[in-house]
Amino acid sequence: IYAKLYGLDGINIDFENIYLKDRGILTQFMRELTPLLREQGLVVSIDVTFRSLSENWSMCYDRKALSEVVDYVAVMAYDQHWASSPVAGSVAEFGWVENGIKRILEEVPNEKVLLGLPFYTRVWKEEIADGKVKVSSTAVSMGSVEKILSEKNPEVIWNESSGQHYVEYKEGKTTYKIWIE
């Protein structure tokens, strides 16, 4: 009803942090939902993560079976280093994305893959507390990065290993790091 009301072309399903034991239930849900949505002329896609050993973040998706059901599989190619990551790093390094896509293509036909890229990055903050480095981060828009660059005027360098520009600057004893996505 809402798809017609708002003139939508399709529906994207985004379930995350699913129990591994519910993997088959998710696939069956999509098998039952997709025909109902297609009857309404809608395109159907589902979000998945890159393959990893994380049960609730990655192994919970049967990417091959899902790709046989839906029109598109949208790969969330971000959060290589997530909000509470123990180390600072890129949201989506070039090599990490490339390797992740290669592995996805082992299970999903290339014509069904949508690549979801980050339109944000993280400002990483490293502080020394009790002799240990305490790492925290804040997600920011790309516009916010531009503002930081103009205000702080740090040196922007090309980081070959990440395939991105990188910024690092200090304020007192705190080090800030930004991988520019």
Side-chain angles (χ1 to χ4, degrees):
I1 293 175
Y2 286 109
K4 186 175 182 177
L5 176 67
Y6 293 108
L8 303 179
D9 294 325
I11 299 290
N12 174 259
I13 304 299
D14 182 7
F15 288 128
E16 299 178 23
N17 292 308
I18 302 161
Y19 293 113
L20 180 58
K21 68 179 179 65
D22 294 333
R23 176 183 170 142
I25 294 170
L26 173 63
T27 303
Q28 187 58 33
F29 172 77
M30 293 306 297
R31 283 186 184 121
E32 294 178 28
L33 178 64
T34 299
L36 299 173
L37 296 175
R38 284 190 178 142
E39 284 176 9
Q40 299 175 51
L42 298 171
V43 174
V44 182
S45 63
I46 187 166
D47 292 352
V48 301
T49 61
F50 282 146
R51 288 169 37 195
S52 76
L53 298 177
S54 172
E55 289 186 0
N56 292 7
W57 185 246
S58 175
M59 294 171 67
C60 56
Y61 299 107
D62 185 342
R63 293 165 187 79
K64 183 175 183 340
L66 289 167
S67 73
E68 293 168 357
V69 174
V70 299
D71 298 302
Y72 297 103
V73 174
V75 182
M76 298 182 285
Y78 40 85
D79 279 349
Q80 175 183 5
H81 295 89
W82 57 100
S84 60
S85 182
V87 295
S90 172
V91 172
E93 287 183 2
F94 180 82
W96 180 79
V97 172
E98 182 179 40
N99 290 333
I101 283 296
K102 286 178 181 177
R103 294 187 67 208
I104 289 286
L105 291 172
E106 294 170 4
E107 299 175 292
V108 179
N110 64 343
E111 66 274 6
K112 289 196 169 197
V113 174
L114 300 176
L115 180 61
L117 299 174
F119 288 122
Y120 69 97
T121 191
R122 296 190 184 284
V123 175
W124 293 92
K125 186 176 175 181
E126 295 182 346
E127 301 173 282
I128 305 294
D130 300 326
K132 296 181 181 179
V133 177
K134 179 185 172 205
V135 177
S136 62
S137 74
T138 303
V140 297
S141 68
M142 299 316 292
S144 294
V145 172
E146 299 268 338
K147 186 176 179 187
I148 292 168
L149 295 178
S150 78
E151 289 175 1
K152 307 294 181 186
N153 200 27
E155 180 183 6
V156 178
I157 61 168
W158 177 253
N159 182 283
E160 193 66 39
S161 66
S162 69
Q164 299 168 314
H165 285 97
Y166 172 78
V167 170
E168 184 174 314
Y169 62 95
K170 290 185 182 278
E171 288 183 349
K173 295 182 179 182
T174 303
T175 302
Y176 293 88
K177 298 179 177 182
I178 305 171
W179 282 260
I180 303 172
E181 303 298 330

